[in-house]
Structures are given as C-alpha cells and as structure tokens.
Amino acid sequence: MSERAAKLAPAGAALVLAAALAVVIITTTPWHLIDLPKPDAALDFSAAEIDKQNQFRHELLPWSTVSWVLSLLVPLTIGFSPLGRRLYAVTRIRRWYLAVPVVVLALGLIASLITLPTDAMAERVTRKYGLSTEAWDLWLRDRLVNWLLLSLALVAISLGLIALAKRWKTWWWAPAAIACAVLVLGVSFAYPVIVEPRFNDFTSMPAGAQRDEFIQLAKQDGVPIKDVLVADASKRTTTLNAYVSGFGSTRRLVVYDTLLKDATPAQVRLVVAHELGHAAEDDVLHGTLVGALGSAFAIVLLRLLLGARVSDPRGTALLLALIVAGTTLASPVQNLVSRRIEARADYHSLQLTKDPTDFVEMQHELSVKNISGLEPSRWRYWLFANHPTPPERIAMGRAWAAEHGETVPPLVEK
C-alpha cells in the first residue's frame, strides 16, 4: 500500500468510527418516552429533607471536587510535561516491558496518595450523615484493590499498544483498535465474576415468597434469570440499591441487603422491575458494544495525535494522560445516554408493575435514605449525573399515571 494511503487511512478510519458511534448513539438512545411535567422537588420533599440534602452536599462537594480535580491534574501534569520521561528514566530498568508497568503503577500510586486526604475527608462526611458503615481498614483495602485493578488494566493497554507500535510502525492502530474493542467486551463479560467478588460477597436470595415473586416478575417480563443474588453492601453503606451486570451466562440481578432490610416489599418490587428493564433491553450488552466502538475510535485518535511515537515507552505517562483526558471529555455524552437509559428502565418498571403511587413514594424514600442530590448545578449534572434526579424520576411516575387516567398527589401538603 502506498505511503499516501497509509497516511490517509487513520483519518478515514476515525471518520468512519466517529460516524458509526454517532449513528448508534442517536438511533438507539431512548430520547423521548413520555411528556414530563416540570420537576419540582418542593412537591414531594419537605423543607427539612431539602435542607439536609443541601447541607450534606455543602459539606461533601468541596472535598469530592478537589479530589476529582487532583485525580485529573496529577496524570495530566506529569504526562504533558518532562516529568513523564523523567519518571521513566528514574526506574533505571533497561527492558521497556518491565519499566512500563512500574511507571503505570507509580502514576496510579502517586495520584492515590495525593487524593488520599481529600477522599478521607469526604468519607468522614458520609460517615457523619450515616451513609457509610465501612471500617477504615476496609476503606483503605478497597482503595488498594481499586488501584491494583485499574493499574493492571492500564498496564495491559500500555504494553499492548507499545508492543504493536514497535511491531508495525505504520499500521499498529488497526490491530490495536480491534484488540481494544475485544478487551472491552471481555471485561464486561467477566466483570461480575472477577471484579465484583473483590468488593462484595454474593449469596442466593433464600427461598420464599419474595424470591418467588421476583422470579415470576422476570418470567412475566420475558427476562430469563436463574437466580437473584444478595450483596452484603451493609458492611460498607446504608444506601439502598440494586443492579444488573454482565450479559449472557454472566448476567446477574443483584440486590443490596440494605434494600431488602429497609424498603417495603412494594418498593423492592419496583426496584427489581427497574433492573429487569435493563435486562429486557440488553442495556449492559448495548453499553458494552458502544464502549467497544468508542475504544476503537480512541485508539485511532491516539494514532492521529501521536503517530509512531506510541512505540516509545518513555512516553508512557503521556499515553496515560491522553487516556485520562479522553475519558473525561467523553463523560458528558456517556452520562447523557446513561440518564436516558435509566429513564427507560423507570418507564419499564411502571409498565410492568402499573403502580405509579408506590413508584413515586419509592423514589422519594430512596432519595431521602441515600441523601441524593435533588437539584445539582448544571455543570455537575452534565459531568457526573448518570441517573435522572429524584424529582425527574418522580415526574416520570406522575406522567405515567396521568397517561393512564390516574393521579398521584404531591407527597408534601401545602
């Protein structure tokens, strides 16, 4: 193939992948489900509940925001400055495939240590408000495990990219894009059985009326599930939650033990119906496929930005900095899509249970228990919110009720 074609191929691939990604996101995201009334927290949350949420955010957000900023500044500052190459030189390891893992682990460790004080202060706030029940040694252990898992993933990516770039100076990006997409698929499939057990123990829900109800609800919904798992979340938190992860043979419906303990059976049923909505729509598989496509696009962008320089292991810190920058820039789009998918799962829950009154009460109770943000600032909403706000979810319940000739009155009397 000609040199000109070799130069044009990455740009052409980037355009094709970008177009494919845009088409998939635009055509598969549930942009409109039902006309919603304007969300209004004052309709369903008392002044005391709103004040508590505001006070909690006032105390928590300074620490969590500083921690987030530091987690970005550390890799960006090191990666986009001579410090990155100096860090590689400090290792004094001749074999690049041994030096690269050391650099990756060191960068992650530096970032973790620098954010440790602000993360600890944020943890103190969650303890003060009764959301965290985690012992400090378990909290530190979780941070260590998270650092190791993330570092191992970045080590694998860095080694793979550098090795391919050394092997194929011009066309390394093509096999790298394919490999990265396959890696995303593999991680999503294996996550429930490899990563999740590192943080929680899972047991099958004991036989009984509630378990039978969940299995029957899944059958009614056309979603095959072999088991319902209970996570021992109470050793870390008092928040109430459930989720679906994995796909195919690793797909699992998981409920927190806190949810089973503190929510009413009707509320738990609605939460499970929401998670069944994710399974019915294959949201995990869909997100994985979009992620695979997005990762392939990111690899081609790396080729356009760095060219053959990816083969130089001394640029490992720069490579990591670009990964951090890319994931941060992509988060608003990811969160936008996630909010719409979560809204569809809410709608599915209403369609399956036909219980808008309990749905509204459930959203209120979960929000109060979890001290969820009711009206986040616009920039926080776009950058961090991957679920609709509680008032938006309650508006969904009222809209569904109105569409079916029902009325759900405000929970707060005026």
Side-chain angles (χ1 to χ4, degrees):
M1 186 173 289
S2 69
E3 183 177 342
R4 176 178 171 78
K7 290 182 178 180
L8 293 176
L15 289 174
V16 170
L17 288 170
L21 194 58
V23 168
V24 169
I25 290 175
I26 291 171
T27 59
T28 62
T29 301
W31 300 110
H32 182 267
L33 298 164
I34 191 173
D35 292 330
L36 298 180
K38 183 179 179 180
D40 185 356
L43 290 175
D44 303 286
F45 295 87
S46 68
E49 290 168 343
I50 294 174
D51 287 344
K52 181 179 180 179
Q53 182 274 150
N54 287 335
Q55 184 60 33
F56 173 63
R57 299 288 161 189
H58 177 74
E59 295 183 38
L60 176 70
L61 291 181
W63 300 115
S64 61
T65 301
V66 171
S67 184
W68 174 74
V69 170
L70 289 174
S71 70
L72 294 180
L73 285 180
V74 169
L76 295 180
T77 300
I78 295 176
F80 289 114
S81 73
L83 291 173
R85 287 179 174 265
R86 291 176 187 171
L87 179 62
Y88 185 90
V90 165
T91 67
R92 296 184 179 275
I93 300 176
R94 289 186 177 184
R95 300 186 184 278
W96 69 268
Y97 50 83
L98 297 178
V100 167
V102 172
V103 171
V104 173
L105 289 167
L107 275 171
L109 184 59
I110 292 169
S112 295
L113 290 176
I114 287 177
T115 58
L116 182 63
T118 51
D119 287 345
M121 294 303 296
E123 173 68 10
R124 288 187 62 184
V125 174
T126 61
R127 289 168 183 268
K128 173 183 176 181
Y129 282 82
L131 291 180
S132 176
T133 60
E134 194 172 19
W136 282 109
D137 59 341
L138 182 58
W139 181 80
L140 288 171
R141 178 257 182 198
D142 283 349
R143 288 178 59 86
L144 177 62
V145 171
N146 187 67
W147 165 65
L148 285 173
L149 291 174
L150 181 59
S151 295
L152 288 175
L154 290 174
V155 165
I157 293 171
S158 300
L159 288 176
L161 290 178
I162 294 172
L164 288 171
K166 283 180 172 294
R167 177 66 178 82
W168 293 288
K169 294 289 186 181
T170 303
W171 289 95
W172 65 266
W173 57 271
I178 296 172
C180 214
V182 172
L183 179 64
V184 170
L185 290 171
V187 169
S188 184
F189 182 80
Y191 189 88
V193 294
I194 294 179
V195 177
E196 289 178 0
R198 307 285 77 80
F199 296 95
N200 287 105
D201 293 327
F202 300 89
T203 57
S204 295
M205 179 179 286
Q210 192 171 42
R211 182 183 184 279
D212 293 342
E213 181 183 24
F214 295 162
I215 298 296
Q216 182 59 39
L217 193 65
K219 288 182 179 179
Q220 176 187 336
D221 202 24
V223 177
I225 59 171
K226 295 180 180 179
D227 202 0
V228 180
L229 300 182
V230 180
D232 60 340
S234 57
K235 67 182 180 182
R236 289 181 172 84
T237 182
T238 60
T239 58
L240 314 181
N241 201 6
Y243 63 90
V244 169
S245 64
F247 55 89
S249 62
T250 65
R251 183 167 67 188
R252 53 184 11 186
L253 171 63
V254 179
V255 294
Y256 280 17
D257 56 355
T258 52
L259 179 68
L260 297 175
K261 176 185 175 183
D262 296 333
T264 67
Q267 292 171 349
V268 176
R269 184 171 184 267
L270 281 157
V271 173
V272 169
H274 170 99
E275 301 307 328
L276 291 175
H278 286 307
E281 297 289 345
D282 282 322
D283 287 337
V284 174
L285 178 59
H286 172 265
T288 301
L289 293 175
V290 171
L293 192 59
S295 66
F297 174 64
I299 294 299
V300 181
L301 281 184
L302 280 177
R303 165 62 180 81
L304 294 175
L305 291 170
L306 298 180
R309 286 185 294 163
V310 172
S311 64
D312 185 357
R314 293 173 298 175
T316 299
L318 174 59
L319 178 62
L320 296 180
L322 288 171
I323 292 174
V324 169
T327 53
T328 302
L329 292 173
S331 61
V333 175
Q334 293 174 327
N335 288 331
L336 171 62
V337 173
S338 177
R339 287 193 299 270
R340 300 314 307 157
I341 288 175
E342 293 295 335
R344 179 172 63 189
D346 281 343
Y347 188 78
H348 184 95
S349 177
L350 288 161
Q351 291 284 81
L352 186 60
T353 63
K354 297 177 173 53
D355 189 3
T357 299
D358 278 325
F359 178 88
V360 169
E361 292 179 356
M362 178 265 293
Q363 294 295 348
H364 170 267
E365 291 302 317
L366 290 184
S367 176
V368 171
K369 184 70 176 179
N370 298 341
I371 321 182
S372 304
L374 302 179
E375 297 175 325
S377 63
R378 185 172 296 276
W379 75 271
R380 288 187 183 280
Y381 182 78
W382 285 100
L383 202 55
F384 299 114
N386 53 21
H387 284 63
T389 64
E392 288 174 333
R393 305 181 88 163
I394 288 173
M396 166 76 77
R398 285 212 171 87
W400 190 93
E403 194 175 72
H404 291 79
E406 300 181 42
T407 301
V408 179
L411 300 181
V412 175
E413 296 183 2
K414 298 296 183 180

